[in-house]
Amino acid sequence: MFTTNPFDVADGDKLREECGVFGVAGAADAARLVALGLHALQHRGQEAAGITSFDGVDFHTHRAMGHVAGNFDREDVMVPLRGHVACGHVRYSTTGETALRNVQPLYADLASGGFAISHNGNISNAMRLRRDLVRNGSIFQSTSDTETIIHLVAMSKYRTFLDKFIDALKQVEGAYSLIVMTPEGMIACRDPLGIRPLVMGKVGEAIIFASETVALDVVGAAFVREIEPGELVIVKGGEISSHHPFAPISPRPCIFEHVYFSRPDSIAGGRSIYTVRKAIGAQLAIESPVDADLVIPVPDSGTPAAIGYAQQSGIPFELGIIRSHYVGRTFIQPTNEVRHLGVKLKHNANRALIEGKRVILIDDSIVRGTTSLKIVQMMRDAGAAEVHMRIASPPTRHSCYYGVDTPERAKLLAHSKNVAEMNAYIHADSLAFVSIDGLYKALGEPCRADIRPSHCDACFTGDYPTSLTDQDEVASVDQFALLAERVV
């Protein structure tokens, strides 16, 4: 993977994007292009993958747990996925259990015909919608929030499918980038704030939709443009139409796409992800300099920021941590001692380089802090004279409810501790984060304090750009239970 840091996946110590979507309309063997596109998006979801195709008469679906490779590189799987239209999905769940029934694309037979949907994001009022739909007779087949959209479309009183679909979207809150297939064509759309990314490309006469531009590159497609926030793009035969059914609102795309989620070779918002991450590292060096001998990235997600920090500070960049690319998840071991040794299967300190040196470690974020603790200890075990940690994002103090796997707020290290306390926890000689204004400056934008925020940065600031209906209900129940305990 290109942006993940699998130091110890079991720790849950990285924010992980829920999924990636990819669609093709108007290409022979469209499903094979989708499989290639999903390979490029594998970093966005490594739990499961699925592809649905349409041959003009029937829909064909294959969904499986695990990676794209091993599931969609087999002829017995790909040959039945016939048709000139197909969409796919890679999944890492933030809502819904880990089970095949939740793997997308989800498919249903509606009165208007077959309906397949791939969704990147999270519907923040799905719990309430589901409860109301069930009361009205809906029977759910999954625990995924995405299925609420299918039922809302099916229950809509509007006449045309497009109007039913728009009616459904106007009832949901939160973040979504969707690729939908019907017998009439393909629809790609983003939520009105554009929180989750979606781009459009073209290869030959075929139209491509993808979560990131790198997936366009892999299939040889030319980038056309981003799908605009609140826009629906419909591909029907050789015709493309655009619809804007929502009231205009200032976009708030996820800022963490620039920090961590997107591959560094992608383009988002007209900016090179790699270039932005180097700029964040340079800004971090300006804001939090330290006298040291080496700048060392935490592979692989910390590398671009580390290059920027080194170039700005003049301190040499070195690969002080060597990552093995041939190791998956470590096996669950019977003792803590053996389990700790499993970490070194994936990453090992470059002792000859580190011994006696003052090192600066650059990582993209700190979530629970367990990974940072292990890395600092690894440097000390290798003989580092000093270990300083610099983080290429502000402290993650709040949970995300827009399609990112985030621990509950109480388990976020920055929620309960200030920077000095966090530094004491990870046992570093010093710890510093880029400021929120510095992050915006690296994006080439004014300080956050001077403008209405141009991105969703709720994980840092707690400034959520939409209602959080389900979360507010849960919080109310929790507060009631707490009061009841106190009364008792």
Side-chain angles (χ1 to χ4, degrees):
M1 300 307 105
F2 288 78
T3 61
T4 55
N5 172 13
F7 228 94
D8 191 348
V9 177
D11 280 340
D13 199 28
K14 279 293 174 184
L15 301 183
R16 286 178 286 197
E17 177 63 272
E18 180 183 5
C19 58
V21 296
F22 192 91
V24 176
D29 289 325
R32 294 181 186 271
L33 281 181
V34 171
L36 288 173
L38 293 181
H39 271 289
L41 298 173
Q42 186 73 84
H43 59 288
R44 299 184 75 89
Q46 301 169 51
E47 181 179 279
I51 296 177
T52 296
S53 67
F54 180 64
D55 63 11
V57 178
D58 297 315
F59 287 82
H60 311 277
T61 297
H62 183 80
R63 301 180 298 162
M65 305 304 295
H67 289 189
V68 179
N71 284 312
F72 293 96
D73 51 6
R74 296 161 31 201
E75 285 301 297
D76 62 316
V77 170
M78 298 307 300
V79 169
L81 295 174
R82 302 182 299 275
H84 287 67
V85 182
C87 69
H89 187 272
V90 289
R91 181 176 193 263
Y92 185 87
S93 63
T94 60
T95 62
E97 62 184 331
T98 301
L100 190 60
R101 64 175 177 160
N102 288 328
V103 179
Q104 299 183 33
L106 297 182
Y107 176 81
D109 286 306
L110 305 184
S112 56
F115 178 88
I117 182 170
S118 295
H119 170 211
N120 171 212
N122 192 61
I123 298 171
S124 57
N125 64 336
M127 185 171 67
R128 175 178 287 185
L129 290 172
R130 184 186 183 106
R131 185 171 60 237
D132 293 342
L133 286 162
V134 169
R135 285 172 179 166
N136 290 323
S138 291
I139 301 174
F140 279 74
Q141 301 299 312
S142 77
T143 58
S144 169
D145 62 328
T146 308
E147 193 179 351
T148 58
I149 297 174
I150 297 175
H151 290 275
L152 289 172
V153 172
M155 299 285 282
S156 176
K157 303 301 183 184
Y158 283 87
R159 186 177 61 86
T160 69
F161 172 80
L162 180 59
D163 287 338
K164 289 176 182 289
F165 185 56
I166 292 171
D167 178 41
L169 294 183
K170 287 186 175 181
Q171 296 178 65
V172 303
E173 300 170 356
Y176 55 81
S177 284
L178 304 174
I179 298 177
V180 167
M181 290 167 52
T182 74
E184 294 187 355
M186 177 173 282
I187 303 174
C189 65
R190 290 175 77 185
D191 65 82
L193 290 168
I195 296 174
R196 302 260 66 87
L198 193 62
V199 299
M200 180 168 64
K202 189 172 184 180
V203 55
E205 296 303 312
I207 300 299
I208 312 290
F209 299 104
S211 292
E212 292 183 38
T213 61
V214 66
L216 302 179
D217 299 338
V218 167
V219 301
F223 172 75
V224 175
R225 63 179 178 87
E226 294 188 356
I227 305 303
E228 297 174 8
E231 181 185 20
L232 280 70
V233 175
I234 301 174
V235 182
K236 185 184 295 187
E239 298 183 357
I240 303 174
S241 59
S242 174
H243 303 260
H244 291 82
F246 303 100
I249 187 172
S250 299
R252 296 281 297 276
C254 173
I255 202 166
F256 222 85
E257 292 285 345
H258 294 281
V259 174
Y260 176 67
F261 294 139
S262 292
R263 271 182 37 166
D265 44 346
S266 281
I267 306 292
R271 303 178 181 93
S272 159
I273 296 294
Y274 179 79
T275 301
V276 168
R277 289 178 187 167
K278 282 182 60 180
I280 296 172
Q283 183 65 29
L284 187 55
I286 293 170
E287 293 182 355
S288 301
V290 60
D291 190 16
D293 303 306
L294 301 175
V295 174
I296 295 174
V298 177
D300 288 325
S301 55
T303 301
I307 294 172
Y309 193 104
Q311 290 177 347
Q312 177 67 39
S313 66
I315 300 171
F317 169 94
E318 294 286 357
L319 297 179
I321 302 172
I322 306 301
R323 174 185 168 189
S324 170
H325 292 264
Y326 304 100
V327 179
R329 295 191 182 194
T330 53
F331 295 106
I332 298 174
Q333 302 291 354
T335 67
N336 285 332
E337 182 181 359
V338 177
R339 190 178 296 115
H340 177 72
L341 292 176
V343 173
K344 295 188 176 181
L345 290 174
K346 298 174 182 178
H347 294 81
N348 193 39
N350 191 346
R351 176 179 290 273
L353 184 72
I354 293 168
E355 193 165 14
K357 299 295 197 308
R358 300 166 299 169
V359 303
I360 305 171
L361 292 170
I362 307 292
D363 205 355
D364 58 86
S365 60
I366 291 181
V367 182
R368 297 174 189 263
T370 50
T371 294
S372 301
L373 178 62
K374 291 176 183 177
I375 300 170
V376 170
Q377 187 59 49
M378 179 184 288
M379 294 293 100
R380 297 209 186 279
D381 291 345
E386 296 176 10
V387 183
H388 304 272
M389 198 143 201
R390 296 294 180 265
I391 307 299
S393 64
T396 303
R397 294 191 171 98
H398 305 271
S399 298
C400 176
Y401 303 104
Y402 300 125
V404 177
D405 177 48
T406 315
E408 59 187 80
R409 190 179 179 191
K411 294 181 179 179
L412 296 170
L413 193 66
H415 168 66
S416 59
K417 299 181 185 298
N418 59 34
V419 174
E421 292 168 335
M422 293 174 73
N423 183 53
Y425 176 83
I426 67 173
H427 298 159
D429 289 286
S430 72
L431 170 67
F433 297 78
V434 74
S435 67
I436 188 69
D437 284 343
L439 181 58
Y440 275 89
K441 185 174 182 179
L443 284 165
E445 298 186 6
C447 293
R448 189 186 192 278
D450 298 336
I451 58 168
R452 183 183 185 277
S454 57
H455 288 74
C456 177
D457 52 22
C459 55
F460 308 132
T461 65
D463 178 15
Y464 295 98
T466 75
S467 299
L468 300 174
T469 298
D470 291 348
Q471 183 61 27
D472 291 342
E473 286 190 9
V474 170
S476 296
V477 171
D478 289 345
Q479 289 175 0
F480 179 80
L482 181 62
L483 286 173
E485 288 177 5
R486 289 175 177 171
V487 170
V488 171

